[in-house]
Amino acid sequence: MKKLSGKIALVTGAGQGVGQGIALSLAKEGALVAVAGRTLRKCEETCEQIQELGGKSIAISMDVKDPKSLSTGVEHVVGELGGLNILVNNAQEIALGTLNKITDEAFEAGWQSGPLATLRLMRLCYPHLKGDGVIINLASTAAKRWDMSGYGPYAAVKEATRSLSRAAACEWGPDNIRCNVVLPHAKSPSLEWWMNNNPDEAEAFVKAIPMRRVGECESDIGRVVASLCSDDMRYINGQSIAVDGGQAFMG
């Protein structure tokens, strides 16, 4: 029997990259997956891949910066699939730039799509997760960089997500809801763009990874998330786990 058979999962930003890799991994372990994202066609393409694997999924158009869209999306998942056991908050607009150059609008978008959207979705899903729920929030090791220049705003919103996750683990643990954080290095479209546009820094970045490679969205990141959602990891709660080939030290 697959580890997540009968479980129902909602994954945001699952139309591509890390979110897609997570959705595929959850489906391979038997979960019914609600694939959510701003671009419905991309979500449908992820669903098609899941169906080719013999899994079941639905595509949902969801703008994580829109509270109404979040509420409608959760209602749709619960109504269509019959409940909710797993929430993965992956969608995030990236706010990169130095402190003097980052615009208020870019930082606000990072905040709204990151920690604020995460908090909203966790609260919306809370009633459905009580009893056997798992929340996985995606953050970043950016705050542990050797040089934080240009990464302060991005790291700030990701660290806020980590703090909210720790609070959820403590406050909702008595309800048998676990909340953990995964901090990945993966070949997402955004990271590939950054590496292509910053070749010298990207070379140094890869050299700083002990395993000397960037992770795969599904086989490296998705599988970790699927494992964390299973009963094999039922006593892991409130942790931030860097899935980055050993680059960051999260102590």
Side-chain angles (χ1 to χ4, degrees):
M1 185 175 180
K2 296 180 179 179
K3 292 182 179 181
L4 300 176
S5 293
K7 301 296 185 181
I8 299 168
L10 168 60
V11 184
T12 68
Q16 62 183 10
V18 173
Q20 183 181 74
I22 291 171
L24 291 171
S25 292
L26 293 175
K28 284 182 177 180
E29 287 297 338
L32 282 71
V33 184
V35 178
R38 284 184 299 183
T39 306
L40 184 60
R41 182 56 197 147
K42 287 185 178 181
C43 295
E44 291 172 340
E45 290 172 355
T46 299
C47 287
E48 289 169 3
Q49 292 186 46
I50 290 174
Q51 289 161 8
E52 289 173 1
L53 297 170
K56 296 181 180 180
S57 62
I58 60 172
I60 298 176
S61 177
M62 179 183 287
D63 180 355
V64 296
K65 293 193 294 183
D66 180 355
K68 179 61 177 176
S69 179
L70 295 178
S71 178
T72 301
V74 171
E75 290 175 1
H76 182 63
V77 172
V78 173
E80 183 79 12
L81 300 181
L84 186 63
N85 308 101
I86 297 167
L87 168 64
V88 180
N89 282 301
N90 165 71
Q92 167 81 65
E93 291 187 27
I94 298 175
L96 292 178
T98 61
L99 300 181
N100 279 331
K101 292 185 178 180
I102 191 77
T103 65
D104 287 357
E105 292 76 15
F107 186 68
E108 182 69 20
W111 169 262
Q112 289 182 353
S113 64
L116 183 55
T118 294
L119 176 60
R120 285 169 170 165
L121 259 181
M122 288 197 301
R123 290 193 299 207
L124 286 167
C125 294
Y126 167 78
H128 309 289
L129 296 171
K130 290 176 69 174
D132 68 344
V134 180
I135 300 170
I136 303 293
N137 293 326
L138 277 289
S140 171
T141 59
K144 301 291 184 177
R145 284 181 60 87
W146 60 95
D147 181 0
M148 282 287 293
S149 302
Y151 295 91
Y154 176 61
V157 297
K158 286 298 191 180
E159 287 297 283
T161 294
R162 287 215 302 143
S163 295
L164 292 170
S165 303
R166 178 63 183 168
C170 295
E171 294 175 13
W172 298 348
D175 296 310
N176 204 30
I177 298 174
R178 297 188 294 112
C179 183
N180 291 296
V181 183
V182 169
L183 306 91
H185 283 338
K187 294 178 181 177
S188 64
S190 58
L191 182 61
E192 288 187 330
W193 177 91
W194 176 81
M195 294 181 74
N196 290 335
N197 285 274
N198 301 275
D200 293 337
E201 191 174 357
E203 183 179 0
F205 168 75
V206 174
K207 286 182 178 179
I209 300 172
M211 297 186 73
R212 298 295 192 271
R213 68 178 180 86
V214 178
E216 300 293 337
C217 292
E218 181 186 347
S219 57
D220 290 319
I221 312 304
R223 288 182 184 176
V224 170
V225 172
S227 294
L228 284 170
C229 291
S230 74
D231 286 342
D232 288 346
M233 306 290 178
R234 65 183 183 178
Y235 202 52
I236 296 180
N237 189 30
Q239 304 304 307
S240 290
I241 302 170
V243 187
D244 67 348
Q247 186 189 56
F249 175 62
M250 299 307 298

